[in-house]
Amino acid sequence: MNNRGTGGNSSQPNLGRGQALASTQLIKAATNMHHIDELFLWVAHAIVQNYDAQVVQLWATQTNRAGQYFIQLRTMVRQDTSLPQHVVTNNQVVAVAERILSERRNYLLQQMGSVFPPYQASLLARYGLNYFFSYFLSSNTLLPPP
């Protein structure tokens, strides 16, 4: 998310307009999409561009051939492509994603230290990643493989 603080609520009227614009753009783009991962990638890019998010990851529960569930990173977009991938995709990040999916809950904007172990929070902070936000969306439908 955006690391810079904002004063007041002057951006609130723009938030609604941004969502409406993004919805219109999504409807246009969706006509050319053939796989759910294309939608995920579009949404991740839209969040990075419209909300100044530094990193967006979309995770989903999958099943293997034995019917066992596991989580999988379906898409990731980084605003700064020089950010090393191992900083934002590692065992600690997987553990947080698993916890979010198992708890089936959202996390409002929080400091990384309240979500990640100290070492991981410190590593993320070195790259200017100071805040965390998650949104949980559920469906009984399983997604096709990437």
Side-chain angles (χ1 to χ4, degrees):
M1 295 298 305
N2 184 345
N3 294 337
R4 298 173 293 279
T6 57
N9 289 331
S10 62
S11 64
Q12 287 301 319
N14 292 332
L15 185 62
R17 277 185 256 146
Q19 290 172 339
L21 179 60
S23 296
T24 301
Q25 292 171 344
L26 175 58
I27 290 168
K28 287 181 183 178
T31 60
N32 296 319
M33 294 181 188
H34 302 288
H35 196 278
I36 189 71
D37 289 321
E38 293 176 84
L39 173 66
F40 290 162
L41 185 59
W42 188 95
V43 167
H45 276 290
I47 293 170
V48 166
Q49 291 170 358
N50 295 320
Y51 300 103
D52 198 27
Q54 300 301 308
V55 178
V56 174
Q57 296 180 337
L58 299 175
W59 294 80
T61 303
Q62 300 293 134
T63 59
N64 62 19
R65 292 178 188 205
Q68 299 168 318
Y69 289 94
F70 65 97
I71 68 161
Q72 183 175 32
L73 179 61
R74 295 301 291 249
T75 197
M76 178 175 64
V77 174
R78 296 168 288 178
Q79 189 175 85
D80 177 2
T81 56
S82 68
L83 174 68
Q85 187 168 338
H86 74 274
V87 171
V88 291
T89 54
N90 54 47
N91 290 337
Q92 290 81 20
V93 174
V94 171
V96 169
E98 287 175 335
R99 187 172 72 228
I100 290 166
L101 290 172
S102 70
E103 292 174 353
R104 305 173 65 88
R105 65 174 275 208
N106 303 322
Y107 284 84
L108 299 178
L109 194 61
Q110 297 183 30
Q111 291 187 342
M112 290 294 193
S114 67
V115 179
F116 290 97
Y119 174 78
Q120 180 68 22
S122 172
L123 178 63
L124 293 165
R126 273 187 256 154
Y127 288 93
L129 303 173
N130 298 306
Y131 298 98
F132 173 87
F133 174 85
S134 74
Y135 181 78
F136 177 80
L137 180 65
S138 178
S139 172
N140 290 333
T141 305
L142 291 174
L143 299 175

